[in-house]
């Protein structure tokens, strides 16, 4: 994700500069982000306290080096780096990022520009809604106004098929129309309770989070988002990821 991180950080800072909130948020990603040849200085008009947590699993493309450059540019209070010795898994990356963060609310999102930070304000607005208190707000591709850009027909059928199969077998209920999506806003207490319980890997990891949350009577809301296929780098979806997903789905069906 070396090419993506500076761009992502710029748009995150721009998004937060338009949000007025008394809550402190952490934007955390398990992906190792980074780099391009240049990036803009952070806005000085930011109206919400936030930080970005970067978890790097010894990426071979010198992601860590770029993260350190961005930390110098934005400041250590704004960019927090967690450097690990190798690929230790998505779940442990989230836990490591959570431990390093300080926010009352945690945003988990992809670092490859697939998740547009412009939706963060809508997520916060929904979580702050006086009519319903939500523990989790999820971005969904499968509600009116949501969708996917840049995928071929095969990828769309695979994704929708996986989601519909999970909906049929697990019946998670309201607020869970996109079980495999990873762009979500969590109250800190919610994600701290959930992460130690998660056993699935790969795409099933995100699915299990919502299924466990509903089983624990947590309130889940959602907003429509448009997921954009990554600009730099290659998709990680392959036969192994599909098998891991099916294994996780069967496991959840039998145990929840």
């Amino acid at each position: 994700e070396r090419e993506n991180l500076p761009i992502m950080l710029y748009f995150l800072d721009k998004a937060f500069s338009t949000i007025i909130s008394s809550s402190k948020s952490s934007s955390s990603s398990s992906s190792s982000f980074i780099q391009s040849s240049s990036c803009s200085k952070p806005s000085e008009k930011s109206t919400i306290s936030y930080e970005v947590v970067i978890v790097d699993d010894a990426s071979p493309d010198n992601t860590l080096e770029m993260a350190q450059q961005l930390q110098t540019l934005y400041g250590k209070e704004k960019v927090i780096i967690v450097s690990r010795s190798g690929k230790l898994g998505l779940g442990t990356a989230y836990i490591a990022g959570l431990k390093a963060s300080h926010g009352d609310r945690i945003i988990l999102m992809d670092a490859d520009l697939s998740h547009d930070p412009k939706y963060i304000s809508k997520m916060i607005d929904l979580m702050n809604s006086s009519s319903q208190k939500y523990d989790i707000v999820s971005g969904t591709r499968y509600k009116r106004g949501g969708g996917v850009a840049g995928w071929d027909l095969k990828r769309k059928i695979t994704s929708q098929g996986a989601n519909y199969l999970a909906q049929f077998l697990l019946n998670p209920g309201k607020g869970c129309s996109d079980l495999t999506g990873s762009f979500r806003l969590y109250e800190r207490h919610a994600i701290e309770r959930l992460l130690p319980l998660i056993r699935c890997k790969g795409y099933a990891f995100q699915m299990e989070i919502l299924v466990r949350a509903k089983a624990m009577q947590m309130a889940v809301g959602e907003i429509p988002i448009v997921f954009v296929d990554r600009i730099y780098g290659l998709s990680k979806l392959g036969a192994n990821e599909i098998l891991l997903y099916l294994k996780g789905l069967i496991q959840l069906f039998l145990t929840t």
Side-chain angles (χ1 to χ4, degrees), residues 143-156:
K143 288 290 188 181
R144 185 181 181 89
V148 175
W151 279 2
D152 59 23
L153 181 60
K154 179 182 177 181
R155 183 69 188 272
K156 288 181 179 179

Side-chain angles (χ1 to χ4, degrees), residues 108-144:
L108 300 183
M109 60 193 301
D110 290 351
D112 59 7
L113 304 178
S114 295
H115 296 149
D116 194 328
K118 71 179 182 181
Y119 296 112
I120 291 174
S121 62
K122 295 181 180 179
M123 290 179 165
I124 292 175
D125 286 345
L126 183 57
M127 188 168 275
N128 288 340
S129 172
S130 58
S131 60
Q132 169 74 54
K133 178 171 175 54
Y134 292 106
D135 300 294
I136 303 169
V137 174
S138 180
T140 176
R141 297 162 288 181
Y142 302 119
K143 288 290 188 181
R144 185 181 181 89

